[in-house]
Amino acid sequence: MNTIGGNRVEEEPSQPAARDGRHGIVTVMAVAGIVASLTQTLVVPLIGRLPEMLNASASDTSWVITVTLLAGAVTTPVMGRLGDLYGKRRMMLVCAVPLVLGCVTCALAGSLAPMIAGRGLQGMGMGLIPLGISALREVLPPDRLGSAIALMSSSLGIGGALGLPLAAAVAEYASWRVLFWATAALGLLVAALIRLLVPYTPASAHGRVDVAGALGLGAGLICLLLGISKGADWGFGSAPTLGLLAAAALLLPLWGWWELRTRDPLVDLRVTARPQVLVTNVASIVVGFAMYAQSLIVIQILQLPAATGYGLGQSMLAAGLWMAPSGLMMMIVSPVGARLSAARGPKVTLITGSLVMALGYGLSVVLLGSTWGLLVISCVCSIGVGFAYGSMPALIMGAVPRSETGAANSFNTLMRSIGTTVSAAVVGVVLSHLTIDFGGHPLPSQDGFHTGMLIGCGAALAAALITMALPGRGGPPRRVIVATDPAPATES
């Protein structure tokens, strides 16, 4: 053990030789991430039918989507910390339980309440992705780690892009309940594969669960994200929206005060305040914003009636198929991003990804009027997202001790979720204010779509500028891990 810059450091322990032959580990982890992210787009083809299916109003059925976002945001940081304390593979298996139960609950639902409960349980399964990324650090040799992390990170976008056409096809040609039964079966398969093929991961931290911190963060996030996501419906100047945002402004600083003073914090804010972690998290919010803006706009343009003059009149299934290649592009470019990170550092990869996203948005100036043009836009933006999402965990894990990888990666995932939530709110406000009258119904105007794309372009450029503030290459010294904690306990 040596000392560098005042921190205790240790050489990365060699991996058991048997791990080199476990080529299925990365595939299992990626599939787990895809299945978890699939639940996010699972109900999109059903949005218009939900009021009839559940005998409820459209405003009430919107909670079917909102509750998944809230449950994922609240539980993901908690699952990350539990992964550090009790082993990441163990907690991945735990995450699979609510995911499967949620799918079964939704499949059996005949009214709004059980559907919302099931969707909330599905959201709790989102912890699979950051836990899987953190587990890769412990079960793979260093030469395979970069490409594996990049693929696992991009699984969020891959599952979302591929899930839309698959869900649309099933919803159009079979019972909607088949969607949830099939996802439940996939969840059981993923749990079995994790149990059989992924080596156990020892606990990397010690201490107790910060229950007060978990409750405080959960309450603050619910107020913040609910105020942002429902603000467009309720009005951003309405009493419920302002009350929720005011409560978040009170609760989140109190949570931070508690985390800085408790012995075993849910999130070590001193670690997150390190320049590399802090800048990466800020960039993650902006990247999440940029990633989500184009997906909200492209799907609407594809489905708007051609009679508007700019809509392309595609069915939900056709629109999903036009967007599916973007998910494949993320999978294809993930190893390219890993090689770029290995050669130039993850900082360069994140900047590159942000600039490629900006280029995709810039192409909308001339390509927004055709299906092929939208395909090019979404694919270029997804290439940028693949680079960016693959570099973020490398930046985080290059700056935190092994005992904090689960919590730190989960917190970074939360930052991306905040970015997508803000993006949905901002783009929603823009499109709701820039409208045309079409047969007595207001529809987003062409100017509204162009404005939304320009905002996304600005966000992508802002992410590149923020990333430039990262120190150095943004990665750790080769074969070295920062260690500021005692020897880890083992998983029983």
Side-chain angles (χ1 to χ4, degrees):
M1 183 177 294
N2 301 307
T3 301
I4 297 179
N7 292 321
R8 293 189 298 112
V9 297
E10 59 184 12
E11 292 187 358
E12 184 173 357
S14 60
Q15 304 290 335
R19 291 182 181 174
D20 292 336
R22 295 183 179 183
H23 298 289
I25 295 174
V26 178
T27 301
V28 171
M29 294 291 201
V31 171
I34 290 172
V35 171
S37 62
L38 179 65
T39 62
Q40 303 296 296
T41 54
L42 196 62
V43 298
V44 170
L46 305 176
I47 290 175
R49 297 165 52 188
L50 284 175
E52 178 185 353
M53 288 164 41
L54 304 174
N55 193 27
S57 66
S59 61
D60 288 339
T61 56
S62 67
W63 285 97
V64 172
I65 295 177
T66 304
V67 71
T68 308
L69 164 71
L70 295 177
V74 170
T75 59
T76 293
V78 178
M79 289 297 181
R81 179 58 178 164
L82 292 175
D84 291 331
L85 291 173
Y86 301 111
K88 298 172 184 65
R89 187 191 70 161
R90 175 181 292 170
M91 295 314 301
M92 288 183 72
L93 292 171
V94 169
C95 283
V97 174
L99 189 150
V100 173
L101 288 178
C103 292
V104 172
T105 302
C106 290
L108 297 173
S111 61
L112 182 61
M115 180 66 80
I116 290 177
R119 290 289 292 164
L121 288 169
Q122 286 180 329
M124 295 173 67
M126 286 302 294
L128 274 167
I129 296 176
L131 283 169
I133 293 170
S134 302
L136 290 172
R137 181 180 185 178
E138 302 181 20
V139 301
L140 289 179
D143 60 329
R144 295 182 57 200
L145 187 57
S147 59
I149 287 176
L151 178 60
M152 182 74 184
S153 299
S154 64
S155 66
L156 180 62
I158 296 170
L162 298 183
L164 189 60
L166 291 174
V170 172
E172 185 169 339
Y173 297 109
S175 168
W176 60 269
R177 299 181 190 275
V178 173
L179 289 172
F180 297 104
W181 287 120
T183 310
L186 288 173
L188 288 173
L189 175 63
V190 164
L193 292 175
I194 292 173
R195 182 68 180 85
L196 293 173
L197 299 180
V198 178
Y200 99 93
T201 53
S204 57
H206 62 91
R208 61 182 180 178
V209 179
D210 179 15
V211 176
L215 293 175
L217 179 60
L221 286 175
I222 288 174
C223 292
L224 175 65
L225 298 179
L226 191 57
I228 293 173
S229 61
K230 303 297 286 185
D233 295 331
W234 297 341
F236 282 100
S238 66
T241 301
L242 293 177
L244 286 169
L245 296 178
L250 175 65
L251 289 171
L252 290 176
L254 284 176
W255 170 77
W257 174 86
W258 170 262
E259 293 297 283
L260 290 171
R261 284 159 178 77
T262 188
R263 179 178 178 181
D264 299 306
L266 178 70
V267 178
D268 191 337
L269 294 182
R270 292 180 178 85
V271 171
T272 61
R274 293 175 180 176
Q276 183 161 316
V277 181
L278 179 61
V279 174
T280 301
N281 282 331
V282 174
S284 297
I285 296 174
V286 186
V287 168
F289 184 107
M291 180 275 294
Y292 204 56
Q294 61 88 20
S295 62
L296 289 172
I297 292 171
V298 169
I299 189 67
Q300 292 190 62
I301 296 176
L302 284 169
Q303 294 183 83
L304 282 177
T308 60
Y310 51 88
L312 300 175
Q314 302 291 306
S315 66
M316 171 59 75
L317 176 57
L321 290 172
W322 278 107
M323 295 187 71
S326 63
L328 297 176
M329 292 306 300
M330 292 183 66
M331 183 182 297
I332 292 170
V333 304
S334 62
V336 179
R339 287 194 290 270
L340 178 60
S341 292
R344 302 295 301 275
K347 172 182 176 178
V348 171
T349 308
L350 182 50
I351 292 174
T352 301
S354 300
L355 293 177
V356 171
M357 273 194 289
L359 172 63
Y361 278 108
L363 292 174
S364 67
V365 174
V366 293
L367 297 180
L368 210 58
S370 68
T371 51
W372 285 102
L374 292 178
L375 175 65
V376 171
I377 291 170
S378 61
C379 284
V380 173
C381 287
S382 292
I383 290 172
V385 173
F387 280 132
Y389 273 24
S391 64
M392 290 173 188
L395 287 163
I396 294 295
M397 290 192 289
V400 303
R402 186 179 293 271
S403 62
E404 296 286 337
T405 54
N409 273 320
S410 296
F411 195 73
N412 180 251
T413 300
L414 171 62
M415 295 299 103
R416 301 186 215 178
S417 296
I418 291 175
T420 59
T421 304
V422 174
S423 178
V426 171
V427 172
V429 168
V430 169
L431 297 184
S432 66
H433 281 77
L434 298 175
T435 62
I436 62 169
D437 183 87
F438 184 78
H441 300 283
L443 292 179
S445 67
Q446 189 172 27
D447 287 342
F449 288 127
H450 279 293
T451 301
M453 296 297 276
L454 288 175
I455 292 173
C457 183
L461 291 173
L465 291 173
I466 292 169
T467 306
M468 289 178 184
L470 283 168
R473 287 161 45 101
R478 190 171 179 82
R479 306 279 298 167
V480 172
I481 301 173
V482 179
T484 59
D485 45 279
T490 58
E491 180 183 40
S492 57

